[in-house]
Every structure is written in C-alpha cells, then in structure tokens.
Amino acid sequence: MKLPPLVAAVSSLSNEEITRYSRHLLIPDVGLEGQCRLKSSKVLVIGAGGLGSPALLYLAAAGIGTLGIIDFDRVDESNLQRQVIHRVATVGQLKVDSAAEAIHALNPYVKVERHEQRLEPQSAVQLFSQYDLILDGTDNFATRYLVNDACVLAGKPYVWGSIFRFEGQASVFWEDAPGGVGLNYRDLYPEPPPPELAPSCSEGGVLGILCASIGAIMATEAIKLITGIGDSLLGRLMVYDALDMTYRQMPLRRSPGRQPITALSDYQAFCGLSAPQGVQDSDIPSISARQLQALRESGQNVLLIDVRDRAEWDIVRIHGAQHLPKGPKTAELIEARFGKQANLVLHCKTGVRSKAVLRELQARGFSNVRNLEGGVLAWVRDIDPALPAY
C-alpha cells in the first residue's frame, strides 16, 4: 500500500553528506528531498539483537538523522553468530553502547540516543512519542504486544520482524494509517500462544544469516515509509523460508471483533508468563540445581528426565539424565517406563517446557515429580561450569 511520506524534509545536507549519499541522490524516487527526509527522521529500534543489528547498520548507512536504541542486555559470545553489530571486543558491554560504537564508526553524521533499560508499560508511550517510526526486532510475544499497543496509543507506525530457525516474517502496522486502512499486530495474532509453544531463538535456534534477510526487509520498509516511496507492507505479511528460498505474501485484514486499545496492561500475565496477581505457582513443585546435587550426593534414587530436543541434548547434558523429548506422548511414555511412584526431576533449558510436561504428569496422578529451576543453564552455572552454556 502506497503511503505519503512520514517525515518532512526539514534538514539540509552538507557537501560531505552529498558525497556520502550520492548513490541515493541519483535515484529519482529518492533524490535530494528523500535524503533530507531521512536525515530529518527519528527512528527507534527496539533490541540491538539479531534483527536490530542489520537494521541499525543499514539505517545508519542510509543516513537516518537520529537512531534510538533501547536494550537492557549485554553482549554475550552466543550473540556473535548473528548479531553483526557487535564484536568480540565488546563482549560484556551493554548492547546499546556496543551498537552506538559501531554506528559512529560507520556514519558519524548519525545521532544515537541510548535507552539502557527494559521496555516497560509505564514509559513506552512517552518514549515512542519522541520518534517518527518504531522498529520491533524483539523475540518474545509479551514485548511484541506491548510495542503494538504503545504504538497504537502513541499514534506511531512500526515495522515488525520475527525469525525462528529457517523462517522469517515481516510486516508494517499502523493503526492510524491515512485512508482508514490501519492494522495492528492483534489483527495478525489476536491471542498469544501458550509459552511452551512459543520458544525464543535462545531455545529453538536460528540460522544466523536469516537475521540479515529479515533485518534488511525491516530497514527497507522504514526507508520507504519515511520517504513515501513504493508500496509498504501495511496490510501484507511477508514470509521468507530460507531452506526453500521462497517468499510468500499473505493479505492481512482487521480481525473481527477486535477491541479498541485504550490502555497498556500486564503483558507477562497476558502471555501466560507469570501467575495472576495474588496467585502463586505453588502447584508446580520445583527444586534448585544445588538441592538436586545434594540429593544425588546423598545417594537418593532420583530419575532426571531431560525433555529438550535432540540437538540441545547433543550440545550439553547433565550426567545421568535420561532423554525423552517433549511431545504429545511424553507424559504417557514416562508413565509407561517409570510408573507414577518414581522420584522424578524434569528439566529443559530454562524450565518452561519441563514445567508443561510436569503439569501433564500431575493430571495423570503423579505426585513425586519436580521441575529443575532454571533448567540446564542453572546446572551449568551453579554446579558444573565446565559444561558449555548455549
């Protein structure tokens, strides 16, 4: 859908900038006016991770005047497989600082605004109001719904991208789009999936190069919106399959019965990631890594069941654990193999998937089963740091 330019061309270019952006200026659809629109724009990128990295680099190279970055995380070695804005030398730094260094090294004419905090409902609308356009490269549903609702309340368009393993998706959402054609993320996903069915890239993995493909689409859509060129992805979902090397487009329509967004809420609870206020998750018996180690050292007969995927099991495992990947019949297999009276401790990478299996076992009458708090990562951190974390 073709939209009018989002940003007015109020900034002018220096001689040095004319030289730098000359290949843009030679394109009739962009030209001097379009480049001035880019320089006049303020774009906020949420997350300096897999999608934020290529998007930030290309937006900086394109000459966006002000780039905001919001991210509370620090650079980790596991990020470097796909988060190309970071370097070995910046491992341990705040991602906003690492990203700002790379942007300044690439284009000193870009102003970088750093927001070193977690995006929260209390501040999201005010923050978004300071920018012309938002790019959402986050990897969890709670933040995606927060971004969507805050953009609706702030009246801002945003470009959304998502990646998992070999597939990526991208679209543009803008509730207040000209012409009454506004859509938002809730038209695509009216309700979030259960947490155990929505693994992040840290649990399910992602092909690193996929970030470049989807991040480039996001940056392209941002430039098109700012300058008013081409047809935006508003009203369309772009799906990319890297294995088949195919792009598919699906039309998006306003979801029937969608309720107006009037305020922000508790998105952790909405996505099933926390118990409702005043309610404790006491129906899930748990055990810490140190408590489990003490039980094993005391000679107690504890059966440790690993419900992760085979690829994760091959990377790292707890000595003595048995592997039964989470699936539709996992609880049935555990009951058939070990019986309801077995002393079981379930675990996955962080504890989410194993908690889901534990609930299934409770429904079958198991009473002596616990969930390992923090999963394999907690075991590596607290008991056996010689094992690799992933």
Side-chain angles (χ1 to χ4, degrees), residues 76-113:
D76 182 82
E77 276 190 307
S78 65
N79 301 149
L80 302 181
Q81 165 256 7
R82 65 201 177 281
Q83 299 180 18
V84 294
I85 203 167
H86 308 299
R87 300 289 182 268
V88 172
T90 64
V91 168
Q93 285 188 18
L94 286 167
K95 286 187 176 179
V96 291
D97 292 339
S98 174
E101 288 179 16
I103 290 169
H104 286 312
L106 176 63
N107 190 347
Y109 299 102
V110 176
K111 178 183 178 183
V112 178
E113 295 182 347

Side-chain angles (χ1 to χ4, degrees), residues 191-214:
E191 298 289 339
E196 63 271 15
L197 298 181
S200 66
C201 293
S202 64
E203 289 189 322
V206 62
L207 184 69
I209 194 68
L210 181 66
C211 301
S213 301
I214 302 302

Side-chain angles (χ1 to χ4, degrees), residues 7-8 30 99 108 177 194 216-217 240 243 303 367 374:
V7 178
V30 180
I217 291 175
Y240 170 55
L243 286 184
L303 289 172
S367 59

Side-chain angles (χ1 to χ4, degrees), residues 306 308 316 318 347-350 372 374-380 390:
D306 188 331
R308 298 174 300 155
V316 59
I318 301 175
H347 74 275
C348 57
K349 181 177 182 178
T350 62
L372 178 59
V376 168
L377 293 185
W379 183 269
V380 173
Y390 70 102

